[in-house]
Amino acid sequence: MRVLIVEDERLLADTIAEGLREEAIAVDVVYDGDDALERASYTDYDVVVLDRDLPTVHGDDVCRELAGRHPGRILMLTAAGEVSERVDGLTLGADDYLPKPFVFSELVARVRALARRSGPAVPPVIERAGIRLDPHRRTVARDGRPLRLTRKEFSVLEELLRADGGVVSAETLLDRAWDEHIDPFSNIVRVTMATLRRKLGDPPVIETVTGSGYRLDGTR
């Protein structure tokens, strides 16, 4: 999952971003509407968490623009919690609405729910090749054996499981499991894949497809 936070209160924006990263979610942050539109023009986010009262370009205009051309879902934040305000936000194209102040656990739950709606339907618990991954509880097991994975290992495994046997490129993993601060020439995907394979154990289930990426072999 990759999320864009658009919030002009920098402390709040950075706090939300750090909390979501603790949930193994890749997050980018911008602080005004103009940067939000630019960032969304070249990155397909699963969810955009959008403050309504933004500088340069108002959140309403950002919402209207993204709803018309961006494939992801929009969660609008605002200090105004009146019904009329929520109706206005949803009318503009927002998919959900959360008034400030909010409980962080609710924000996480709403982001995850919206992310599930932004792509093909997947079960809350994903199972393949004897691997059972629960994104909500942050647990994973193979053949009933619990595994202790880092946040990035968990995210990489989740992407492979969601691909349902399809090949996932290293570039896609960088985009989905990390964020804009990662060096695109880093070998971090290869290193993470090596430790993930070791923790998954035998028989090996992650296959390297030369020149293309990785896939999870569900027949093993």
Side-chain angles (χ1 to χ4, degrees):
M1 188 194 314
R2 189 159 183 179
V3 174
L4 177 64
I5 306 296
V6 190
E7 168 62 65
D8 65 321
E9 295 182 40
R10 289 178 178 252
L11 179 59
L12 176 59
D14 294 342
T15 300
I16 293 173
E18 184 60 28
L20 292 178
R21 289 175 184 135
E22 289 293 326
E23 297 289 329
I25 297 171
V27 182
D28 297 334
V29 182
V30 295
Y31 307 106
D32 63 61
D34 191 49
D35 285 346
L37 292 174
E38 179 186 5
R39 193 66 56 86
S41 69
Y42 57 81
T43 301
D44 289 337
Y45 292 99
D46 297 286
V47 180
V48 177
V49 179
L50 176 66
D51 182 41
R52 190 168 191 183
D53 189 15
L54 291 173
T56 66
V57 179
H58 194 274
D60 288 356
D61 296 320
V62 174
C63 183
R64 189 181 295 108
E65 176 72 16
L66 293 184
R69 63 177 175 82
H70 192 270
R73 304 292 179 171
I74 301 171
L75 172 60
M76 185 169 278
L77 302 178
T78 183
E82 290 79 8
V83 172
S84 60
E85 294 285 340
R86 295 198 296 272
V87 170
D88 287 345
L90 294 171
T91 301
L92 290 167
D95 298 281
D96 200 357
Y97 199 100
L98 189 61
K100 301 176 184 176
F102 52 83
V103 178
F104 183 73
S105 58
E106 182 181 2
L107 173 67
V108 173
R110 288 176 181 267
V111 166
R112 290 195 180 282
L114 289 174
R116 287 195 296 269
R117 290 163 53 191
S118 70
V122 295
V125 175
I126 313 169
E127 296 186 68
R128 185 179 177 84
I131 299 169
R132 177 184 172 87
L133 182 144
D134 187 332
H136 177 66
R137 293 182 174 85
R138 312 297 306 160
T139 60
V140 60
R142 183 176 185 189
D143 298 327
R145 175 175 59 91
L147 303 176
R148 294 180 61 122
L149 303 183
T150 66
R151 294 197 304 269
K152 296 309 179 186
E153 290 164 357
F154 191 98
S155 295
V156 167
L157 181 59
E158 184 175 358
E159 290 300 322
L160 292 174
L161 285 165
R162 290 186 184 278
D164 196 27
V167 176
V168 183
S169 69
E171 292 78 11
T172 296
L173 290 172
L174 278 174
D175 182 63
R176 308 291 293 175
W178 281 267
D179 57 29
E180 62 183 355
H181 301 296
I182 191 69
D183 181 354
F185 301 104
S186 169
N187 68 346
I188 191 64
V189 172
R190 181 170 56 82
V191 171
T192 302
M193 200 64 69
T195 59
L196 180 58
R197 281 170 163 149
R198 177 176 55 80
K199 291 182 179 182
L200 287 171
D202 293 323
V205 291
I206 298 177
E207 177 186 353
T208 299
V209 182
T210 304
S212 298
Y214 305 90
R215 74 181 185 95
L216 201 67
D217 187 349
T219 64
R220 298 185 185 182

